[in-house]
Amino acid sequence: MAANRRVWTHLIRFIAKEDGLVHIGQIDAQAFPDVGLSAVHGDSIVARVVTGSVFDGVVTDQELHVDRLLSPLSMEQTPIIRCLGLNYRDHAREANMAIPKEPVLFIKPRTSLSGPSPAKIVIPKLAQDDTADYEAEMAVIISRDGKDIPESDALDYVLGYTCSNDVSARAQQLKNSQWCFGKGMDGSAPIGPVLVSPAGLPYAHKANIKAIHNQSVVQDSNTAEMIFDVATTIAFLSQGTTLERGTIILTGTGPGIGMARDPKIVLRHGDDMRVEIEGIGTLVNEVHYES
């Protein structure tokens, strides 16, 4: 492939300082190993513009500077967010629950999608009841439509991986057996800061993942703890069901969620909440209570 037709491996969506417009671009992972922290620290971030879309774009030699990071996928590009519950062995042990034989599933609407700082985790009045919680998760983005995908082919449908936080209103979640309402409020699925292709993250199946609340590590696990790995999950979800391009899959969380701790941890106004995944970087968000 020609030098100006490279396929991206570390893609960001951002507003450029030069023109104030939204672009997608490739970052140099060696220069910016954690672009989320670089953005929070106010570092000068350079990206090479990607022409086309996130699904078919190629890297050019044009450089722009990042003014603001956005979620790697826009709401318009996201048909749905599919989610797994109780998908980490160490989380099941923490909860004293049996390992599920089939994936525990729920959905978030695309209106729950949000991005990295300066975007905030907005807690609505309904959830300002000392039950707002975090869940550090790896998100998987689907690259093309697929149905009845064999497990052996499933990873060919992965566009990339990024950090995510399954923000949850526990009181609402636990009111009934369907979790969609308590986990589907606006902005409750921040993702970012960068989308890393499978080529850029060949060890996605064994990456360290942490949640950091006000500078304290509150979750510390590894994607190797997944009960249903990415290929198994994609094959399962596509049975009789078309997984559309742009579908986001949240793959579950490890131990240490706020409601399981003693004393409990609650997301409060002004808190600093971070999700860090090895090889991807850090998703940083401030918590904001809606007035």
Side-chain angles (χ1 to χ4, degrees):
M1 185 172 289
N4 64 342
R5 297 285 294 174
R6 289 179 292 273
V7 177
W8 62 265
T9 58
H10 294 76
L11 182 138
I12 59 171
R13 196 167 68 93
F14 65 100
I15 297 173
K17 289 184 176 180
E18 285 83 353
D19 58 15
L21 300 178
V22 176
H23 297 269
I24 54 174
Q26 164 85 3
I27 60 164
D28 182 339
Q30 291 187 333
F32 303 103
D34 193 327
V35 72
L37 292 183
S38 293
V40 170
H41 296 157
D43 298 340
S44 178
I45 303 170
V46 179
R48 304 182 83 167
V49 172
V50 171
T51 58
S53 75
V54 63
F55 303 107
D56 58 12
V58 292
V59 183
T60 71
D61 290 326
Q62 180 187 3
E63 292 186 346
L64 292 174
H65 292 81
V66 174
D67 184 47
R68 173 176 176 160
L69 287 175
L70 304 171
S71 59
L73 245 60
S74 69
M75 192 181 299
E76 292 72 24
Q77 292 172 315
T78 306
I80 196 170
I81 303 172
R82 307 293 296 268
C83 310
L84 272 67
L86 200 66
N87 193 37
Y88 274 62
R89 296 178 185 85
D90 47 5
H91 180 40
R93 290 193 294 269
E94 172 192 53
N96 198 27
M97 298 180 71
I99 300 295
K101 295 181 179 180
E102 292 193 338
V104 177
L105 306 172
F106 61 98
I107 64 169
K108 287 175 177 268
R110 65 180 186 172
T111 50
S112 64
L113 185 66
S114 184
S117 180
K120 297 182 179 181
I121 295 171
V122 178
I123 307 298
K125 292 181 180 179
L126 180 67
Q128 295 172 21
D129 57 358
D130 290 339
T131 67
D133 207 348
Y134 54 85
E135 294 187 14
E137 309 202 9
M138 176 181 280
V140 177
I141 314 299
I142 297 298
S143 62
R144 54 193 169 102
D145 291 1
K147 180 179 178 180
D148 295 322
I149 301 168
E151 188 174 331
S152 58
D153 297 338
L155 294 182
D156 294 338
Y157 287 78
V158 175
L159 180 68
Y161 305 94
T162 191
C163 304
S164 61
N165 192 339
D166 176 15
V167 179
S168 305
R170 297 296 187 197
Q172 301 303 318
Q173 174 192 348
L174 299 175
K175 282 182 177 179
N176 57 60
S177 61
Q178 299 296 318
W179 298 347
C180 304
F181 180 66
K183 285 176 167 281
M185 297 180 184
D186 288 356
S188 64
I191 66 171
V194 59
L195 184 62
V196 183
S197 73
L201 193 69
Y203 53 89
H205 60 291
K206 53 178 181 180
N208 293 322
I209 178 169
K210 296 179 181 180
I212 304 166
H213 176 257
N214 292 337
Q215 288 74 56
S216 295
V217 175
V218 290
Q219 291 185 279
D220 190 354
S221 189
N222 188 285
T223 57
E225 288 285 336
M226 286 186 191
I227 298 165
F228 305 100
D229 64 17
V230 172
T232 303
T233 297
I234 290 172
F236 183 91
L237 290 175
S238 68
Q239 295 176 106
T241 302
T242 299
L243 283 183
E244 294 181 279
R245 182 177 79 168
T247 294
I248 299 172
I249 302 174
L250 304 192
T251 55
T253 197
I257 59 174
M259 76 170 185
R261 300 179 70 91
D262 185 15
K264 294 181 179 180
I265 294 176
V266 176
L267 295 181
R268 300 196 184 280
H269 184 79
D271 281 357
D272 181 280
M273 192 68 227
R274 306 184 178 201
V275 175
E276 175 190 303
I277 300 179
E278 180 184 4
I280 297 175
T282 308
L283 171 66
V284 181
N285 296 103
E286 180 184 332
V287 177
H288 175 78
Y289 274 25
E290 190 175 56
S291 60

